[in-house]
Amino acid sequence: MTTILGIETSCDETAAAVVVDGLDIRSNVISTQVELHARYGGVVPEVASRAHLESINAVITRALDEAGVSLGELDAVAACHGPGLAGALLVGVSAGKALALVLDVPYVGVHHLEAHLHAAWLEDPSVEMPMAVLLVSGGHTMIVSMEGTGRYRILGQTVDDAAGEAYDKVARALGLGYPGGPVIDRIAKDGDPRAVAFPRPMLNEGLDFSFSGLKTAVMLEIRRNPDRPARDIAASFQAAVVETLVYKLEKAADQIGARTLVLGGGVAANSRLRARVAEVAEKSGRRALLPRHDLCTDNGAMIAAAAHFRLISDGPTSLDDGATPGLILPTIG
Ligand code: KG4
Ligand code: ZN
């Protein structure tokens, strides 16, 4: 039995979790900084680092308490070491390394996207490989063929904005606050997705994405028709994003012969995206693996889970390793 503490501080959530054997979540504590950043309309790196520093010890203590696990029972300590905000990452990495050193257990540095890729696995370890994973967050949008831990092929990715970034920017233009994804998701439920025919960017151009032009089209529409209800713009924008994401995910699954469609990252919490992926999976006789909401957005459980498998394949990470804001996802081609 391997008990791992996973720490995540790459952006604006201070999170820690205890996971046993890479699958059994004993606790998953998330302290969000959303309200701190909301007044600035986005994440302010310095504010994020300070807030992580203030809450990291309490978050780790709660994760251990809720799991009923003492420090001495930990077999390894893992922390997200990139990509992310430099100062924010450093808080989690320093806490993780310090704990590992004091407890004399392995330290494991975990790639943030590799952790998101493992979130669905936490739901169901019996899933068949390869999986076609759509990873959609505030900083990334990509389709990955996942053949196992450390066995990833990037099939397509955004050439400009990430999907979550587009949600956040459109929400700001509509005066809906930060973060935009959850608000747009909510108000779009009462809106008409056919009210405005927004473009479906790069729909027939391979598996890459582009959301910058769509975002501009929404801004122009808001300027041209200031009286159009925000819910209709939100629903029409969301329809364009979701249709594009799902179309390409299905195309990728066809290409690699995947029997499972998987979602990961913050935007995977989106209700329309989840419903559409479930629908297309059913139509093509595939499985849809949709992590529950607290495993979609940033959390410590996904870090501990990914660390479990990395520890088996690569062993511990050196304590000389630091945080790498631009860390690249290791792929096999
Ligand atoms: O994975 P995540 O928590 O952090 C990053 O690694 O970026 O993703 C955050 C992003 C934000 O852009 C947020 O607006 C978006 O996920 N998001 C959503 C929803 N919930 C969060 N986007 C659409 N619909 C949602 N329900
Ligand atoms: Zn993330």
Side-chain angles (χ1 to χ4, degrees), residues 113-129:
L113 298 184
E114 178 162 77
H116 272 306
L117 285 169
H118 276 78
W121 213 335
L122 272 166
E123 294 278 344
D124 182 0
S126 68
V127 59
E128 200 182 315
M129 304 285 165

Side-chain angles (χ1 to χ4, degrees), residues 40-57:
Y40 304 108
V43 178
V44 182
E46 289 79 3
V47 174
S49 315
R50 194 169 327 135
H52 283 308
L53 209 53
E54 279 164 8
S55 52
I56 187 78
N57 287 345

Side-chain angles (χ1 to χ4, degrees), residues 112 116 137-139 164-165 167-168 179-182 185 265-267 269-270 296-298:
H112 186 77
H116 272 306
S137 71
E165 194 179 347
Y167 265 95
D168 294 338
D185 192 355
V267 184
N270 185 266
C296 287
T297 45
D298 292 348

